[in-house]
Amino acid sequence: METLRQLMRNRALLTFMLGHFTVDLYAGVLPVLYPLMALEFSLTKEAVGIVALAFTATSSLVQPLFGYLADRFGSRVLAPASVVWAALMVAVAGLAPTVGFLMLAASLAGLGSGAYHPLGASSAAAVTGELQKNTAMSIYTVGGSVGYALGPLLGALAFGSVGPAGSVFMLPVGLVSALLILRSLWGRPGLVAQRAQAVVAEAPSQRERIAWRPLLPVVGVTMLRSWVSLSLITFIPLWYADLGYGAEFYGPLTTLVIGGGAVGTLLGGLLADRFGQRRVLLLSLACTLPALVLFVGVPGPIALATGALYGMLADSSLSITLVMAQRALPGRTGLASGFILGLGFVTGGIGVPLVGRLADAVGMPAALLSLSVLLVAAVALALCIPRDAPQRAPAPSAALARGDD
C-alpha cells in the first residue's frame, strides 16, 4: 500500500489521470444517449451498434498516430486540446437532427478521445518508475474508469431533464478539465517537461526489437476482452429499456458495472506488481466467465450487485495488458499505448454491431451470453503469454514519486 500512497502524491500522474477521467466520462455518456436516439430515429439494435462503432472505430484507429506524436513531441498542447474537442462533439451529438449527423458527431468525438489516450498513457508511464508501472498505470486507468462509470449516471440526469439536448450540459466539464490540465502542464514545466523530453531523447537509443511473441497474445486478449466489455456496456441500457426499466435504473446499473471495473483495475495493478502480470491476467479472465453468465442469466435488481462483480473482474487486467505492451516495445511507450488500446478497442467496436445483429435475431440475453465464447478464447490466448521476466529496474526516487519539479 506504500506504493499506492506514494503514487497518489505524484501530481504529474494525477494530471494525466484527470484528462483520462474526462474523455472517458464522455464515452460513458453516449450509451445512455443511444436509447433516446433509437426512439427518435426508429433504429434497430444493429443500427445502434453501428453508431457506437462510429465512435469506437475513430477513437481506436487514430491512437497509434497520436501515440507516435506523443513520442516525438510530448503532450503539453495536444492533451488539453483533445479534451476540449471531445467535449464539443459529445455536446453536439445530442442535438443531431439526423442519423447521419449523429454518426458524424460520434466519429468526431471519438477523434478527441482517441487522441488523448496514448498521450496520457505514455506521459503517465514517463513519470513513474519501472517497479511501480502496473500500479501507476492502474491509477491512470482508474481515472478513465471512474469517468466512464459516472458518464451514464450524469447522462441519465441530463437527458432525463430535457431529453437528448441535455448533452450540452456536459460541455463545461470538459472545458474546466482542459483548463486545469493546461495550467498544470504549462505552469509547472519542471517534472513533466523534463521527463517527456528525456523519453523523446532517449527513445532512439533504447529502442530494441519488438518482442512479438509476448505482444501478439496480449493484443489478442485485449481485442476479445474489449469486444465483450464494449458490447455489454453498449447494450445494457437497451436491454433494460426493453425489459421496461427507465433511465433511472439502467443509468446507475451501467455506472455500477463500470465503477466495479475501476475497483478491479486498481486491484489488478497492485496484485500484478506483487504476484506477476501473467498470473493475475489468467485468474481475472477465468473468473470473468462465470460472472458474465450470472449477470446476463439473472436480470433485474440483483444485476446491481452481479454487474459490479462482473465489471471488477473484467477490468482487473486492463492496466496489465497496457504495461505488457509498453514493455514489449521499449522506447516507444506512446506507440505501444496507441497500438494496444487502438487495435484492441477497434475490434471491440466492430463486434458491437455484430452482437446487435444477433440480438435482433435471437434476443438480447442469448446474444450477450454468446460473449462467453470470447472469454474462453481470451483465456487460451493468455496461456500463450510467456511467464513474467524478473524486474531489475531501480525504484523511483522520492522526488519522482511525489511529482516534484
Side-chain angles (χ1 to χ4, degrees):
M1 295 302 292
E2 177 58 31
T3 296
L4 180 60
R5 286 193 293 269
Q6 193 178 51
L7 288 172
M8 289 304 293
R9 295 194 296 269
N10 187 326
R11 288 174 291 171
L13 176 62
L14 296 179
T15 294
F16 296 113
M17 180 181 177
L18 172 63
H20 197 195
F21 166 87
T22 307
V23 294
D24 279 9
L25 174 75
Y26 290 120
V29 166
L30 289 175
V32 183
L33 177 63
Y34 295 151
L36 301 177
M37 304 309 277
L39 288 174
E40 184 169 342
F41 299 124
S42 300
L43 301 178
T44 64
K45 293 180 177 62
E46 181 181 4
V48 171
I50 292 173
V51 174
L53 175 60
F55 172 85
T56 306
T58 305
S59 174
S60 303
L61 292 174
V62 301
Q63 289 195 33
L65 170 62
F66 281 97
Y68 171 78
L69 294 176
D71 288 337
R72 289 292 304 274
F73 305 110
S75 56
R76 295 175 68 187
V77 175
L78 289 173
S82 61
V83 172
V84 171
W85 182 262
L88 287 171
M89 293 303 105
V90 170
V92 168
L95 305 176
T98 65
V99 177
F101 192 96
L102 174 63
M103 292 187 65
L104 176 62
S107 297
L108 294 176
L111 178 63
S113 177
Y116 184 83
H117 278 91
L119 298 173
S122 62
S123 299
V127 297
T128 53
E130 184 64 25
L131 294 182
Q132 298 173 315
K133 276 287 189 284
N134 287 290
T135 304
M137 292 310 299
S138 71
I139 291 173
Y140 167 79
T141 305
V142 160
S145 299
V146 171
Y148 199 27
L150 289 177
L153 187 60
L154 295 180
L157 292 174
F159 303 141
S161 301
V162 297
S167 60
V168 298
F169 295 149
M170 308 299 298
L171 181 59
V173 178
L175 298 180
V176 171
S177 178
L179 285 174
L180 291 174
I181 296 168
L182 186 64
R183 179 184 177 185
S184 177
L185 297 184
W186 282 91
R188 208 172 46 81
L191 176 63
V192 176
Q194 290 170 10
R195 290 293 294 166
Q197 291 168 4
V199 170
V200 172
E202 294 171 3
S205 61
Q206 289 182 348
R207 286 175 183 171
E208 305 169 6
R209 295 179 61 186
I210 296 175
W212 289 108
R213 184 185 175 194
L215 180 60
L216 291 179
V218 169
V219 172
V221 167
T222 305
M223 289 178 170
L224 294 171
R225 184 190 59 211
S226 173
W227 188 334
V228 175
S229 296
L230 285 176
S231 297
L232 205 64
I233 294 301
T234 298
F235 290 119
I236 282 175
L238 288 167
W239 180 26
Y240 274 86
D242 289 345
L243 291 175
Y245 291 86
E248 68 279 359
F249 179 83
Y250 60 68
L253 172 59
T254 308
T255 292
L256 282 172
V257 174
I258 304 170
V263 175
T265 298
L266 185 58
L267 290 176
L270 288 167
L271 292 173
D273 279 334
R274 184 174 179 86
F275 299 108
Q277 295 175 310
R278 183 178 183 272
R279 183 179 301 173
V280 177
L281 175 63
L282 280 167
L283 182 62
S284 67
L285 290 173
C287 292
T288 300
L289 179 57
L292 172 66
V293 173
L294 180 62
F295 173 68
V296 178
V298 188
I302 195 174
L304 296 171
T306 58
L309 175 64
Y310 161 81
M312 183 179 69
L313 293 170
D315 283 359
S316 58
S317 61
L318 192 58
S319 63
I320 296 174
T321 50
L322 180 55
V323 175
M324 284 180 166
Q326 290 174 343
R327 286 174 174 166
L329 279 75
R332 306 175 179 91
T333 56
L335 183 61
S337 302
F339 183 70
I340 193 73
L341 295 173
L343 188 58
F345 281 96
V346 75
T347 305
I350 293 171
V352 170
L354 296 178
V355 174
R357 184 172 187 175
L358 184 61
D360 285 331
V362 301
M364 187 63 75
L368 295 179
L369 283 174
S370 72
L371 296 172
S372 59
V373 176
L374 303 180
L375 289 175
V376 173
V379 172
L381 278 176
L383 290 170
C384 299
I385 299 173
R387 296 186 181 277
D388 298 332
Q391 300 295 316
R392 301 182 183 277
S397 66
L400 176 61
R402 290 193 305 271
D404 294 340
D405 294 339

